Amino acid sequence: MRMLFVFLLTFSATVLGQGYPSKPTRMIVPYPPGSTPDIVGRTLADRLQKGLGQPFVVENRSGAGANIGTEAVAKSAPDGYTLLVSFSSHTINATLYPSLPYDPVADFTPITMLARVPSLLVGRADLPAKDLGELIALARAKPRKLTIGIGGIGSSLHLAGEKFKLMTGVDLLNVPYKGTAPALTDLLGGQIDLMFISVVTGAQQVRAGKLRAYGVTSEKRQSMFPDLPAIGEVVPGFESTAWFGVFAPAHLPGPITEKLHAAIVGALAAPRLREQLKNEGATSVGNTPKEFAAFVREDIERWAPIVKASGATPN
């Protein structure tokens, strides 16, 4: 009897996977329209629709540091028709918020990481330090005299700065802003000294001579800046990259998980999505659900001490 039950359960799951999708799928992006996760999500949705033959509709549910949209997915049925396109905040929020209305590990089925995105440490063009070594020396000589803009408390860019401060022993003065754009405006205007910024946005300003680039946060140098060192070359062990990934609610049947994973990995190989990721300064990943699940657990542990040391609280 037990063997029959197991057979029927396995057979039902297989049939369910073969029939998926049979109706439109919602892809919830917990960020506003026009944000990088939104752009990536919409490009992915278009590829999945073509590959799986059913509509994949992006639904923006921003607010509360991405927690509103994330909670909606956590509490949805595990049938494959509600997905989450998330960002590094998924693991950062585990420590940043004293309590969450969901468990970032237990309440989700990780499908795959889409891409990783490094950032740049940039400074105003007339800053005396000519390279990263000189910048660190200058900051150590003048504690709390150099200012660093923060586009969002608890963001991956903010925490890249906190990690940099911890690993170098420098004391930079944080200047919070409501978004990256106003921080960049003040940096260009000379009101602040430094900030971490996306590679794409930073590249435009650096090439125009309006900002000085000090290093990239990825483990290795980036092709668009071959002569710019990775910060880890000067600060051994430093690395801080943001990531995008796709999740479903917990307990998604294995056959559906496998079908979604295969479709998304196939989409990542498509020229249009590859080009879109390149435009965003991202490198595609497409790891397995098991690998992505392990990464999520490890990333929570990686960010926890940085978040705690920063003293950051949700704003």
Side-chain angles (χ1 to χ4, degrees), residues 269-306:
R272 184 183 171 192
L273 187 51
R274 276 209 317 265
E275 186 64 24
Q276 183 63 63
L277 290 172
K278 183 180 178 182
N279 290 342
E280 298 296 328
T283 302
S284 62
V285 179
N287 53 2
T288 67
K290 185 177 180 180
E291 289 168 339
F292 189 31
F295 171 85
V296 169
R297 291 191 296 270
E298 292 164 4
D299 208 43
I300 290 172
E301 294 178 1
R302 270 191 292 269
W303 283 122
I306 308 297

Side-chain angles (χ1 to χ4, degrees), residues 90-91 94 102-110 247-248 250 293 296-298 300:
H90 190 85
T91 48
Y102 57 85
D103 185 310
V105 173
D107 289 343
F108 297 90
T109 299
F247 297 83
V296 169
R297 291 191 296 270
E298 292 164 4
I300 290 172

Side-chain angles (χ1 to χ4, degrees), residues 212-235:
R212 187 191 302 278
Y214 286 105
V216 64
T217 64
S218 50
E219 188 177 1
K220 298 178 180 179
R221 297 189 182 199
Q222 293 293 303
S223 58
M224 66 175 67
F225 285 113
D227 297 326
L228 183 67
I231 293 174
E233 294 177 37
V234 179
V235 185

Side-chain angles (χ1 to χ4, degrees), residues 150-198:
I150 299 173
I153 298 295
S155 67
S156 59
L157 295 176
H158 169 208
L159 294 177
E162 296 299 330
K163 186 173 185 177
F164 179 76
K165 289 192 284 186
L166 281 173
M167 294 186 69
T168 58
V170 300
D171 192 0
L172 304 174
L173 181 62
N174 288 345
V175 182
Y177 290 86
K178 292 183 177 180
T180 299
L184 177 58
T185 298
D186 273 7
L187 180 60
L188 291 168
Q191 281 76 46
I192 57 174
D193 300 309
L194 302 161
M195 71 181 292
F196 280 88
I197 195 169
S198 75

Side-chain angles (χ1 to χ4, degrees), residues 73-80 82 103 105-110 247-253 257:
V73 175
K75 295 181 177 178
S76 295
D79 55 10
T82 303
D103 185 310
V105 173
D107 289 343
F108 297 90
T109 299
F247 297 83
H251 311 301
L252 186 70
T257 301

